[in-house]
Amino acid sequence: MAGMEAHEHSETWSPHTVAVKAGRPDSQPDQPFNQPLVMASTYVAGGEMEYGRYGNATWEAFEAALGALEGGRALSFASGMAAVAAVLDLVAPGETVVAARHCYQGTLVQLAALEQRGLVKVVLVDIDDTEQVLAALNDDVALLWIESPTNPALEVADIAALSAGASAAGVTVVVDNTFATPLVQRPLDLGASVVLHSATKYLAGHSDAVIGAIVTRDDQIWSAFDQKRRTVGAIPGTLEAWLALRGLRTLALRIEKSQSNADELVRRLTDHTAVERVRYPGFGGIIAIELADAEIADRVCRGTQLWVHATSLGGVESSLERRRRWTSEPTTIPEGLIRLSVGIEDVEDLWRDLEQALLATT
Ligand code: PLP
């Protein structure tokens, strides 16, 4: 990439090091450490960039870093949903998409809209049931949509087994890796063709930017996404790409702290009388707890001071939300399920605040 430092060690470095080093300007005297914000709607003719909708050095720095982390070539988009739309556009009219029943509700809404318009057929599956998913991959299927862990049911898919089966059936596999991040799993290494991120969440990590991305090793797929982004114009904001790259630098530290906080909270929540079920994949910073009903769950969401009652996740700030407050959430998600996004605050402060809100319901 022009002007972007190439690292001969990047294949052997730990992802923690890659997150810090990738996507920086050449290490030359008086060069800044970090890619500056390039605010430009157009460029002097004769180069590769030409126009602000076609390319931007700040996007490219974020894409270089994310691509290095996932082991492919990245392209950033206006949001995770814009990236979802670009991937679904790969599906030709009349083809079938097999998708996780509990993937992000916005993805389900896009799929349902396409199906309603007669453009695709959608088959929903339990993504943690490998046999069931593989059985659904018939000749009409073009795309397998994996999300792992799922949002907010936290089911975990066997990405390697599903990718092997999909490849044998000629089905393209996309993995929404928003929850796990490339520090936990690299779907391209496990056989997937495309990785998708709502970079809004853990990658940016500070609840201040909406941005999405896809990553692939397939040049044809990458070019199709690039073409789509150029023509539809679902480009990221320059500041958002800069913030996402800034956030990425501390991803390893944030994930480590969120996860150790989550591990401890899971231990305590499991023993709590008000909590009927705790869902936790054993990694990452997202926990789902099931309470008796919607009213009790709503009271807990309103009863915290440190935990913020808000949608979204993956920020340094802990937040919580009853997911069924959204009418588009699948009805197979329990009414009393609260999704906890565990941040990097002190775990004792988090527990005290959550415990008093749970106690107030009993
Ligand atoms: N994928 C997952 C797993 C998500 O949780 C979200 C948003 O919550 C999205 C995709 C959509 O991303 P965005 O909100 O950045 O458009």
Side-chain angles (χ1 to χ4, degrees):
M1 193 161 296
M4 206 63 65
E5 197 166 28
H7 291 291
E8 55 189 272
H9 305 295
S10 58
E11 290 300 311
T12 54
W13 277 338
S14 144
H16 291 210
T17 307
V18 172
V20 173
K21 288 296 280 181
R24 292 191 182 272
D26 287 337
S27 191
Q28 299 289 339
D30 283 343
Q31 278 284 324
F33 267 38
N34 297 294
Q35 168 61 44
L37 274 167
V38 175
M39 304 302 287
S41 64
T42 190
Y43 306 100
V44 178
E48 285 173 12
M49 216 78 96
E50 294 280 10
Y51 186 49
R53 200 172 68 241
Y54 304 156
N56 177 288
T58 313
W59 308 347
E60 285 186 0
F62 168 60
E63 290 160 359
L66 178 58
L69 278 174
E70 287 285 10
R73 279 174 88 193
L75 267 179
S76 45
F77 284 81
S79 63
M81 292 316 288
V84 169
V87 175
L88 292 179
D89 223 63
L90 292 176
V91 183
E95 291 183 324
T96 298
V97 179
V98 172
R101 184 184 317 288
H102 292 144
C103 62
Y104 171 58
Q105 49 96 10
T107 305
L108 293 172
V109 169
Q110 281 203 30
L111 284 167
L114 290 173
E115 189 168 45
Q116 235 167 29
R117 290 170 58 204
L119 294 175
V120 301
K121 188 164 177 282
V122 180
V123 175
L124 297 179
V125 289
D126 299 308
I127 207 70
D128 55 348
D129 183 341
T130 303
E131 294 294 300
Q132 186 195 125
V133 180
L134 293 179
L137 302 181
N138 61 38
D139 288 348
D140 300 332
V141 178
L143 189 71
L144 171 60
W145 193 283
I146 299 175
E147 190 175 294
S148 185
T150 54
N151 177 7
L154 300 179
E155 297 129 332
V156 174
D158 184 342
I159 296 172
L162 293 178
S163 298
S167 164
V171 172
T172 301
V173 173
V174 54
V175 177
D176 185 330
N177 206 24
T178 298
F179 272 38
T181 83
L183 296 188
V184 173
Q185 72 194 8
R186 297 213 320 172
L188 300 181
D189 289 345
L190 301 173
S193 298
V194 179
V195 171
L196 182 139
H197 280 280
S198 168
T200 311
K201 309 297 192 294
Y202 282 107
L203 301 184
H206 295 73
S207 310
D208 53 11
V210 173
I211 180 167
I214 56 94
V215 193
T216 182
R217 288 176 187 162
D218 184 317
D219 288 341
Q220 236 179 324
I221 293 181
W222 188 92
S223 296
F225 288 143
D226 183 40
Q227 202 52 42
K228 185 53 53 183
R229 188 178 69 171
R230 283 163 180 263
T231 50
V232 172
I235 55 172
T238 309
L239 180 58
E240 281 74 6
W242 190 89
L243 285 169
L245 180 56
R246 169 73 168 246
L248 206 59
R249 301 301 184 207
T250 55
L251 181 64
L253 287 175
R254 289 185 286 106
I255 295 278
E256 229 165 74
K257 178 68 173 162
S258 293
Q259 180 160 323
S260 76
N261 280 352
D263 286 345
E264 185 54 34
L265 291 173
V266 164
R267 266 192 286 282
R268 300 182 189 189
L269 286 163
T270 305
D271 294 334
H272 202 284
T273 49
V275 178
E276 297 189 345
R277 180 177 172 192
V278 179
R279 299 176 188 229
Y280 182 55
F283 58 83
I286 308 292
I287 304 167
I289 55 174
E290 291 176 30
L291 306 184
D293 56 42
E295 202 234 306
I296 288 179
D298 280 337
R299 266 175 29 218
V300 171
C301 291
R302 285 195 301 268
T304 55
Q305 277 95 52
L306 176 56
W307 293 79
V308 184
H309 180 208
T311 198
S312 201
L313 55 103
V316 290
E317 320 83 355
S318 293
S319 61
L320 81 179
E321 180 185 38
R322 184 175 77 82
R323 286 301 293 174
R324 283 292 299 282
R325 78 188 178 98
W326 299 100
T327 50
S328 48
E329 193 68 34
T331 53
T332 40
I333 299 299
E335 282 280 8
L337 182 145
I338 297 176
R339 186 184 65 200
L340 303 169
S341 174
V342 182
I344 64 168
E345 304 91 338
D346 183 87
V347 72
E348 296 301 335
D349 292 335
L350 288 173
W351 176 247
R352 260 195 309 278
D353 189 41
L354 193 57
E355 192 185 28
Q356 62 77 30
L358 287 167
L359 271 177
T361 69
T362 53

